[in-house]
Amino acid sequence: MKVEVKTLDAAGSGEVELNDAVFGVEPRADILHRVVTWQLANRRGMARAARERSDVARTGKKFGRQKGGGTARHGDRRAPIFIGGGKAHGPRARLFTLSLNKKVRALGLKMALSAKAQGGQLVIVDNLDVAEGKTRTLVEKLGKLGFGKTALVIDGDALNVSFAHASSNLPGLNLIPAVGANVYDIMRHETLVLTRAAVEKLEGRFNG
């Protein structure tokens, strides 16, 4: 699959041959759903446990007479009805992490990249150099490229410093390195933007 490479000025900069094994896979909703569910589940923090009656550091001595005191019968101050007592039926410690086969995770990323390529939502740029890292300059360039309301920009090993500075306060535009490419971020953005370096890294990730 050949895709035109553009500059940030929307000018042509040649073509790049995309590997069909990475960008030409037929997307499947069930695979994408499994990978996104796995990602979001693993982002959840652990549920913390509450201290129950046996966990509270209070005296276990019976503090009143069984009868004749004019009050209810109590054995100790750990009971949930007392201030400082243990929680009754409190939450237990729980992990929400899921496991997913590496082959399914890799297939999901290929399908996410392929979905953007086949849907016309993939843009390949030569580089991300922005003069002096100015946001105003970058906004003018993005208007010519037509990235849409939201765009995920993936660079190579290291992020372009000038582009990172210029795009840091632009809503809807996110920049990540190639090693951080994931299904959830790719699918939730309208446009996927890859640099030449990002294409090489992503294809090398699956081929090597």
Side-chain angles (χ1 to χ4, degrees):
M1 177 190 301
K2 288 188 177 181
V3 177
E4 181 185 5
V5 179
K6 299 180 180 180
T7 64
L8 287 182
D9 295 319
S13 182
E15 291 183 339
V16 63
E17 182 74 26
L18 297 181
N19 190 342
D20 288 337
V22 179
F23 293 91
V25 181
E26 186 65 28
R28 283 175 47 185
D30 61 320
I31 297 294
L32 294 174
H33 178 267
R34 287 179 63 186
V35 178
V36 169
T37 302
W38 168 77
Q39 276 189 247
L40 296 182
N42 289 348
R43 287 186 180 185
R44 294 185 65 178
M46 184 182 75
R48 297 182 62 185
R51 292 192 303 171
E52 296 189 342
R53 188 166 181 162
S54 62
D55 304 317
V56 176
R58 301 200 73 184
T59 179
K61 181 181 177 181
K62 187 175 177 66
F63 62 89
R65 295 185 298 167
Q66 178 76 358
K67 290 185 176 184
T71 60
R73 297 166 294 180
H74 295 293
D76 57 46
R77 289 289 185 179
R78 298 190 187 117
I81 65 171
F82 293 118
I83 295 175
K87 177 73 173 176
H89 310 294
R92 304 297 179 88
R94 182 183 174 190
L95 289 174
F96 299 97
T97 56
L98 300 176
S99 61
L100 188 63
N101 192 291
K102 287 184 178 179
K103 291 183 179 180
V104 178
R105 282 147 47 187
L107 182 60
L109 182 55
K110 290 179 183 179
M111 288 183 175
L113 295 170
S114 300
K116 292 299 183 181
Q118 297 171 15
Q121 299 171 311
L122 175 64
V123 178
I124 308 294
V125 295
D126 191 21
N127 59 70
L128 299 175
D129 294 333
V130 180
E132 299 180 356
K134 294 293 185 179
T135 302
R136 180 180 298 178
T137 305
L138 179 59
V139 170
E140 295 174 356
K141 295 177 181 294
L142 296 181
K144 300 176 183 178
L145 288 169
F147 279 3
K149 293 183 179 180
T150 60
L152 177 66
V153 182
I154 300 180
D155 205 352
D157 281 334
L159 299 179
N160 186 293
V161 177
S162 62
F163 190 91
H165 283 308
S167 63
S168 61
N169 59 348
L170 290 179
L173 185 63
N174 293 307
L175 175 66
I176 61 174
V179 70
N182 63 88
V183 176
Y184 177 69
D185 284 335
I186 291 174
M187 297 306 296
R188 76 187 185 95
H189 287 83
E190 184 178 344
T191 306
L192 175 63
V193 183
L194 302 177
T195 62
R196 285 183 182 269
V199 173
E200 293 177 2
K201 289 297 178 182
L202 289 173
E203 291 183 347
R205 179 172 174 176
F206 297 111
N207 298 331

